Amino acid sequence: MLSRKRPRRAPGPAMSHAAVLLLLAACTCEAAPEPAAEDRGASPRDFFPARPGDRWRMDSGESLAVTALTEDGVAVFFGSDRTSAERYRVTDDAVLLVTPEGEAIAPWLERPMEVGHRWRYSLGDAQCEAQYATVETTAEVAGLSFEHCIEVRRRCQYPAGKPFPVATAELREETWCPYVGRVEETLRLDPRPSIEGAPAERRWRVAYYRVAGAPAPPRPERFDCDGFLLMETDVQAACGPRLRQTERSDEGGCTLRFAGPDGELTVHAERLDRPVTADDADAQLTALAPEASVLRDEDDLRIRAGEGMNTEGGAFALAQGEHVIAVRWSAACPLERARRLAPLLRSLVSE
C-alpha cells in the first residue's frame, strides 16, 4: 500500500525568489528517492475512492459523487451530467465496472500497476484496451501537488452503427492520484463527429473535491455552491426521486432549491469566518421559516416548526465550525426525511 505522504500545497506567487533561496540554504541533506509505484505494492484501491459522500467538481462545471454503497460492497456513482448511475466494485487487485446486479463488466484499473501493463475488455459492441503509460507523475489538483500519480491510456473501438454512424475510436488519457482518484481526463474521437459544433477534444480537471481520507484542498477564499457540492441525487436519496433542483444562488453563501409535486426543499449554507452561535442558527431559521413558531433542540439540530411540522413545513439548522446550514422542508420532504441529510451536510463543510 502507498504511504500516507501528505501532498504539497501547489506553488503560488506568494513565495518570493528570496524565500526559495532561504529554504534551499536551510537544507543540508539529500532526501533518498522514493521507490517506484510497483515497488511500493500500489493497489487500484489506493487510486479509486468509493466511500458514500465522496464527491468531485470538475472545471467544466460537472459534479460526480458516490451516492451509495450496496450491501455487497458496490459503490454507486452519479454525476450531474449523467442520466444513470455507474457501479464499481473496488478491491486490492482491480476496480471493476459492474451491472446493477453486481456482475463484472470490465476492469477499469488492475494490477500489476507498472508501466506498459495493458488489459483488454468489451463494452457492449466496443472492444477496448487500456495500459499504464506511467506510474510516477505529479499532478496539481485543487491547489495541492500530488506525487506518485498514474497515467492510463484507454482506447475503445466502436463499429459503425450506434452510437456513431461510422467506425470510431474513442481515445482517453486519464490521470489518477492516490487517495483522490481520477483528477484529469482528455477525450478524443477519431474520426471527429460530423455534428456541427462538436469539439475535436474534450478535457476536464478536478477543481475541488471532498473525499474521506484524502488531504483537504485549500479552503476557498469565497464560500459558495462550488465549495458546498450538494447534489440533486443527495436530496433524492433522502426525500425521494421526484424532487428536482430548480434554483441555485451564490448570494451570501449557497442556496439551493428543489421542487416536487408536493412542495419544495430549500438548503442554505453560509460561512461566517467566526464560530457559529445559537443566534446565528436562529436567524437562519427565521429567514427560511418565518411563519413557524415552535423552537426546540433535537440531535444537535435547532428546529423551528409549526403545529403540523411533518407536513406543513418548518426548518432546521445545524452548526459546523464557522458554517451554519439551514434546511426548510415541506410535504415534499417531511422532517423525518429531510433530517437524513444532516450528516452529509456536516461532512460537506467539515475541515
Side-chain angles (χ1 to χ4, degrees), residues 289-348:
E291 75 287 356
S293 58
V294 179
L295 276 170
R296 76 171 193 265
D297 295 315
E298 185 178 322
D299 296 334
D300 295 327
L301 301 180
R302 183 74 163 159
I303 299 175
R304 186 181 182 106
E307 294 298 330
M309 63 181 180
N310 278 336
T311 56
E312 295 177 8
F316 68 77
L318 58 89
Q320 186 69 31
E322 297 180 348
H323 297 83
V324 58
I325 304 173
V327 177
R328 179 185 172 94
W329 75 87
S330 69
C333 185
L335 175 60
E336 69 268 16
R337 285 180 171 267
R339 69 190 307 159
R340 296 176 186 173
L341 288 167
L344 172 64
L345 296 176
R346 288 188 186 279
S347 74
L348 295 182

Side-chain angles (χ1 to χ4, degrees), residues 92-112:
D92 288 333
D93 293 321
V95 174
L96 299 173
L97 177 67
V98 301
T99 67
E101 295 73 33
E103 298 177 359
I105 299 174
W108 223 242
L109 298 175
E110 71 170 30
R111 269 182 162 166

